[in-house]
Amino acid sequence: MTVSEEYIPTELGNIKIADDVVAIIAGLAATEVEGVVGMSGGIAGGIADILGKRNLSKGVKVEVGDQQASIDLYIIVKFGARIPDVAWSIQEKVKQAIESMTGLEAVSVNVHVQGVNFEVARDEGEEEDSRVR
């Protein structure tokens, strides 16, 4: 991602918001939605590459202009989650976060579901069923 060359003029000078800042905001907002397991590196990164919360800008592609931003998010959803509801929640949350934090208009928030996580969370006291002890 590159730094946007567009500046927002103010009375005191110019404000420049880097593309990475918008990507991090979008990634953080998306991972807070119930049903999202993590971000994916996209097709090029491989569907198996589920990226943790530390890499908030990974799995996010943004295009930032002087007044608008377009965001693409590549996500992994939790098995059993209703995908359309998760995607809609992501769109709403990301749009609200971008617009409130940066002042940019989010003209599009595209959600790309790259996979479904089938892992079932075990209780801490439960032992893994194994043939060898």
Side-chain angles (χ1 to χ4, degrees):
M1 294 192 209
T2 61
V3 174
S4 175
E5 296 299 324
E6 302 295 334
Y7 292 88
I8 301 168
T10 68
E11 291 178 7
L12 299 175
N14 295 320
I15 299 171
K16 179 173 69 169
I17 300 173
D19 290 3
D20 284 346
V21 171
V22 176
I24 289 169
I25 293 168
L28 181 58
T31 56
E32 290 177 349
V33 172
E34 181 66 31
V36 175
V37 174
M39 306 301 287
S40 171
I43 299 296
I47 292 174
D49 296 339
I50 299 176
L51 304 167
K53 293 188 179 192
R54 293 178 195 255
N55 297 318
L56 293 174
S57 66
K58 302 297 183 192
V60 182
K61 293 183 180 167
V62 298
E63 193 174 322
V64 180
D66 58 343
Q67 297 176 357
Q68 299 176 328
S70 177
I71 301 102
D72 286 277
L73 299 129
Y74 298 85
I75 64 161
I76 307 293
V77 296
K78 177 177 151 184
F79 178 75
R82 190 166 188 279
I83 294 172
D85 290 344
V86 172
W88 181 81
S89 294
I90 290 169
Q91 288 176 320
E92 290 296 314
K93 191 157 192 155
V94 168
K95 179 178 173 56
Q96 190 274 330
I98 296 295
E99 291 179 353
S100 68
M101 293 182 74
T102 67
L104 296 169
E105 178 189 4
V107 292
S108 67
V109 179
N110 303 306
V111 178
H112 306 270
V113 179
Q114 298 291 299
V116 177
N117 187 326
F118 293 100
E119 290 183 18
V120 178
R122 294 191 316 256
D123 293 334
E124 289 181 21
E126 186 179 323
E127 288 185 26
E128 185 176 336
D129 191 19
S130 175
R131 296 181 354 176
V132 179
R133 300 224 181 238

